[in-house]
Amino acid sequence: MNTTRTVRIHALGGPEVLRWEEIPLSNPGPGEVLVRHEAVGLNFIDTYHRSGLYPVPSLPTAIGMEAAGVVEAVGPAGGDGERTGNSRPAGDGPSFQPGDRVAYGFGLGAYCERRVMPTGQLVPIPDGVDFETAAAAMLKGMTSWYLCRRTYRLGAGETVLVHAAAGGVGTILCQWCKALGATVIGTVGSAGKGDVAREHGCDHVILYKEEDFVERVDEITGGRGVPVVFDGVGKATFDGSMECLSRFGMMITFGNASGAVPPLNLLRLSAKGITVARPSLKPYIDRREDLEEAAGELLGHIEAGRIRITVGQRFPLAEAAEAHRALESRGTQGCTVLVP
């Protein structure tokens, strides 16, 4: 029987619940391929699945959402494909052959050496993009895509506020906003992270431990505020972010790095006509054509050099618990990859 080594959780909790173990591996069926991972991306959503903040279908389960690798085997032809967790038919994707380089950004169970995947979740990796870059970019990059291209359709000349600007999503999002012609204000936790943020498109960097970011945004914008805030931090920054918004501004909260945002009194929105959005990636890429558009824009920007993916840390996949500790302690910069 084929097997693969994987990181799984049998109970919810801290990084200590992550187990490195060997499990059986099935053969690919119609509309499926067997992928050997070369690199796996690390994301905050992985810690949410581990802790139970975001529910998983059942236990035990492997976690992780994005990876890149090589197709090792292809399932038999025929069949309509089964429905998968992302509600897309398994066979609803391009045809792949052994040796093809592929990546994905929304497939629970990525913390493993090899896995069977529906072709509808995979995209080809362009020749000019390496495995680590693709693995680090897919989820965080497509998140950046929907934030500034769909949830808020950013235009040239606008000013935006990006929290955690030196993080995985932050470094990509700042570059994307800059490429669209925006002025980018970013918050970071240290001078070193400030340098990283500047290198990735930030025009103004705020050290939130030393400065009041609400006051600094007010100074930078001449009291006008910003039309949109991209906030993946959550509880610690939500109230201040609301104060930074201009009239008819949009507050986009898309992560919970500091904890979940508490219940909101909707009357608070009425004074300035504020809109609050809590989007997630899945609805934006649920159709195959949308996934191809998102991944195509992202990988195209990377291959052309308009967006640079910085891998700041690498951990062996077997040491995923240490990677989680580093991420949750705000001890990482840029993107982090796990190497099988």
Side-chain angles (χ1 to χ4, degrees):
M1 177 183 291
N2 287 332
T3 61
T4 184
R5 288 184 295 180
T6 185
V7 176
R8 295 203 298 175
I9 57 172
H10 293 252
L12 305 176
E16 70 279 357
V17 303
L18 297 173
R19 297 188 190 178
W20 180 239
E21 53 194 22
E22 192 164 356
I23 63 171
L25 182 66
S26 62
N27 293 321
E32 296 179 330
V33 296
L34 174 62
V35 179
R36 182 186 75 248
H37 287 159
E38 296 291 337
V40 176
L42 176 72
N43 295 279
F44 265 105
I45 193 173
D46 305 346
T47 70
Y48 305 156
H49 287 143
R50 188 208 71 219
S51 69
L53 180 62
Y54 289 3
V56 294
S58 61
L59 293 173
T61 186
I63 61 172
M65 298 296 287
E66 67 179 350
V70 178
V71 174
E72 283 197 334
V74 177
D80 295 328
E82 298 178 357
R83 286 280 172 178
T84 64
N86 73 342
S87 78
R88 184 184 298 120
D92 183 27
S95 298
F96 293 107
Q97 300 299 322
D100 286 348
R101 302 165 70 246
V102 295
Y104 60 92
F106 203 86
L108 185 65
Y111 283 16
C112 60
E113 294 177 325
R114 299 156 72 224
R115 70 183 299 196
V116 172
M117 289 289 294
T119 60
Q121 294 185 17
L122 301 172
V123 297
I125 302 174
D127 292 339
V129 179
D130 61 55
F131 287 116
E132 285 196 356
T133 296
M138 288 300 295
L139 177 57
K140 292 176 280 291
M142 290 194 297
T143 295
S144 299
W145 170 81
Y146 81 70
L147 288 172
C148 67
R149 298 281 285 140
R150 291 295 180 270
T151 306
Y152 186 88
R153 295 180 182 266
L154 185 62
E158 295 187 284
T159 299
V160 304
L161 175 61
V162 178
H163 287 297
V169 172
T171 52
I172 300 172
L173 180 57
C174 287
Q175 292 177 87
W176 211 316
C177 291
K178 194 67 179 175
L180 291 171
T183 297
V184 183
I185 305 171
T187 67
V188 297
S190 68
K193 289 188 175 183
D195 292 338
V196 172
R198 289 187 186 91
E199 292 169 1
H200 290 82
C202 264
D203 298 285
H204 305 276
V205 172
I206 301 172
L207 303 179
Y208 68 83
K209 294 180 181 179
E210 302 174 13
E211 307 170 278
D212 184 316
F213 75 83
V214 178
E215 293 181 359
R216 287 287 293 121
V217 169
D218 189 68
E219 293 172 6
I220 293 167
T221 63
R224 294 183 301 275
V226 295
V228 61
V229 176
F230 299 110
D231 189 352
V233 175
K235 183 178 180 180
T237 51
F238 184 83
D239 284 341
S241 296
M242 293 282 284
E243 297 300 316
C244 293
L245 287 168
S246 61
R247 191 170 63 126
F248 307 129
M250 178 178 283
M251 174 69 198
I252 303 178
T253 174
F254 65 95
N256 308 281
S258 67
V261 174
L264 174 66
N265 181 352
L266 294 179
L267 289 177
R268 185 180 178 186
L269 310 180
S270 61
K272 292 193 288 186
I274 290 171
T275 299
V276 175
R278 183 56 173 92
S280 64
L281 177 59
K282 181 181 180 295
Y284 289 97
I285 60 168
D286 208 33
R287 298 183 306 173
R288 178 69 198 182
E289 56 265 37
D290 295 329
L291 172 62
E292 290 178 350
E293 182 177 359
E297 281 195 41
L298 170 65
L299 295 172
H301 282 315
I302 293 172
E303 191 172 29
R306 290 184 291 269
I307 291 178
R308 177 167 55 92
I309 305 300
T310 299
V311 176
Q313 303 76 214
R314 295 172 180 82
F315 292 84
L317 180 57
E319 297 177 13
E322 290 304 312
H324 277 222
R325 292 186 182 99
L327 183 65
E328 291 180 300
S329 68
R330 308 282 184 91
T332 62
Q333 295 182 5
C335 302
T336 302
V337 295
L338 307 174
V339 183

